[in-house]
Amino acid sequence: MEEVIYFIITIAMLVFVHELGHFLAAKMTGMRTEAFAIGFGKRVIGWSKPRGFSFGPLPEDVDLGDYTDYRLCWLPLGGYVKISGMVDESLESEFTETEPKPYEFRSKSAPAKIFVILGGIIMNLLLALVIFWVMNLTMGKQMIEIRDLQYIPKNSVAEKFGFMTGDSILAINGKKVTYLNELSEQILIHNAGKDIAIEFDRNGEKKTIVIPKAQVPKDESMGPLFPIVDKTDPFVEALAPDSPAGTAGVKPKDKILALNGTPVISVTNVIDVISNSGGKAVDFRVLREKDTLAIAVMPKKDEAGQYKVGIQLNGNSDTTMFDVYEYGFIEAGTKSFGQIGAVTVLTFQ
């Protein structure tokens, strides 16, 4: 129920901002706005300067002149602004049989009409600008250095293209990249629709892999090209009853150092190795208090056919892999415009 309430509040806020754009544009161009409503259906409560607060529908012959009735309607999943001389969702068109009045939508110039129609979109963009601006000012920019992401999951898009654990990305189509967000922007935005030449370092040797544009992932349905893997020092938080791991001797609070002789750096890393074990024993190396132990665990398939060992994992984040860049007021605003542009590009790709 709580989620439903939050959903309704969020929709109401978004609708309010959108309709406010139409309302302000109409006022600025001299149009009469008869009603500003949040919700659809019959009027529940409202206020106007001539009549004050009132409940229920207004009389059909009421004339508020240049004033607006601000109202709440019974279905709070939308809203509208009723502009004189404009055919809207109500499909009322009797006014078209009379001469246009100076305050009506139909009597205004084409630029004024376009401005009113686009008013909602303009306000939505301004809202996004304010949100991004505030986020940039208060949170800064958390940046993950690419060199710290040294794990390529099995069967990932990156592995299929030939990337290996330990590869260090240097540049995308000749543009140097240092942080993960730069990598994403270069692939998804600045080089959208192009072949992607990825230059990287492998054991001191520079290499390049070219990914044809048709195979570049455009969204999560194709899988990310370089999965984000948090460096979280995975540990066992809990064990399922009669789990393979518990039976083998793994205990809660054990810190997982390596699997099958290969160091692990994240919860995702552990899950990936176990799920791709093929049912063969996985050699755990764990740290228990001050002792390092070797434990062989035999995974079992669950109902979905996935190999599991019956452990609940958690991790202690390594904050040293993050850099936080703090924006100034003007820089935060400038960055906000770029973020809106990036989101727009991704939306229409």
Side-chain angles (χ1 to χ4, degrees):
M1 185 61 184
E2 187 175 313
E3 289 81 2
V4 174
I5 294 175
Y6 286 145
F7 173 76
I8 292 175
I9 292 174
T10 301
I11 291 296
M13 291 176 61
L14 292 175
V15 168
F16 172 78
V17 171
H18 182 85
E19 297 302 330
L20 181 62
H22 294 305
F23 174 80
L24 293 176
K27 288 292 188 182
M28 291 170 64
T29 52
M31 299 181 195
R32 182 177 289 181
T33 54
E34 300 174 17
F36 187 127
I38 297 298
F40 291 116
K42 291 187 177 181
R43 179 182 187 272
V44 177
I45 186 174
W47 179 90
S48 63
K49 190 170 183 179
R51 298 176 62 89
F53 283 101
S54 60
F55 294 90
L58 292 175
E60 292 185 5
D61 60 349
V62 69
D63 184 2
L64 299 177
D66 291 331
Y67 296 103
T68 303
D69 180 58
Y70 303 93
R71 62 181 65 167
L72 288 176
C73 299
W74 73 272
L75 185 61
L77 295 177
Y80 63 91
V81 174
K82 186 172 180 58
I83 301 173
S84 296
M86 182 180 186
V87 178
D88 54 21
E89 294 86 349
S90 66
L91 300 180
E92 295 178 2
S93 58
E94 292 84 356
F95 62 83
T96 59
E97 300 175 2
T98 63
E99 287 295 318
K101 298 178 177 60
Y103 56 79
E104 290 185 332
F105 176 86
R106 57 184 176 146
S107 70
K108 301 299 180 179
S109 65
K113 293 176 181 177
I114 293 172
F115 180 48
V116 170
I117 292 171
L118 295 179
I121 297 175
I122 294 172
M123 281 299 289
N124 287 145
L125 291 174
L126 288 176
L127 175 62
L129 177 66
V130 171
I131 291 174
F132 279 127
W133 202 323
V134 172
M135 289 177 62
N136 289 335
L137 275 175
T138 58
M139 300 172 60
K141 183 178 184 180
Q142 191 180 73
M143 300 180 291
I144 305 174
E145 292 193 25
I146 295 173
R147 65 171 179 267
D148 287 321
L149 299 178
Q150 297 184 348
Y151 172 64
I152 303 296
K154 293 289 184 183
N155 302 318
S156 66
V157 179
E159 185 192 52
K160 292 175 183 177
F161 284 127
F163 291 96
M164 299 172 60
T165 296
D167 288 348
S168 181
I169 308 299
L170 303 175
I172 303 295
N173 284 359
K175 179 71 174 180
K176 180 182 176 182
V177 292
T178 303
Y179 297 101
L180 184 65
N181 63 292
E182 296 174 337
L183 178 66
S184 301
E185 289 172 2
Q186 285 298 321
I187 293 175
L188 298 176
I189 300 174
H190 302 302
N191 291 287
K194 301 178 183 178
D195 294 343
I196 304 296
I198 302 178
E199 183 181 346
F200 60 97
D201 180 281
R202 178 177 293 168
N203 299 323
E205 181 182 357
K206 288 187 178 180
K207 294 178 175 288
T208 299
I209 291 179
V210 178
I211 303 175
K213 60 184 179 182
Q215 299 182 54
V216 176
K218 295 181 176 61
D219 54 50
E220 290 301 314
S221 65
M222 299 176 66
L225 180 54
F226 295 102
I228 299 175
V229 179
D230 296 329
K231 195 172 182 180
T232 50
D233 293 334
F235 66 88
V236 179
E237 187 168 58
L239 292 161
D242 301 320
S243 66
T247 302
V250 176
K251 294 185 178 181
K253 298 184 180 180
D254 282 353
K255 180 180 177 181
I256 303 175
L257 303 176
L259 296 176
N260 293 334
T262 302
V264 292
I265 62 171
S266 71
V267 170
T268 304
N269 195 169
V270 174
I271 294 173
D272 180 59
V273 172
I274 294 172
S275 62
N276 287 283
S277 65
K280 297 179 180 179
V282 177
D283 295 323
F284 279 63
R285 188 168 83 247
V286 302
L287 178 65
R288 183 177 299 164
E289 295 181 352
K290 296 182 179 180
D291 298 323
T292 301
L293 307 174
I295 304 172
V297 180
M298 185 67 70
K300 291 183 179 180
K301 281 188 177 181
D302 61 10
E303 295 179 355
Q306 299 292 319
Y307 284 105
K308 302 286 180 66
V309 295
I311 57 176
Q312 180 179 332
L313 298 167
N314 209 329
N316 297 314
S317 295
D318 179 3
T319 57
T320 61
M321 69 184 295
F322 298 104
D323 286 339
V324 177
Y325 179 82
E326 295 183 357
Y327 293 106
F329 184 79
I330 300 299
E331 189 180 13
T334 303
K335 183 65 177 178
S336 300
F337 282 102
Q339 289 168 318
I340 291 174
V343 171
T344 303
V345 169
L346 289 175
T347 300
F348 290 100
Q349 273 189 1

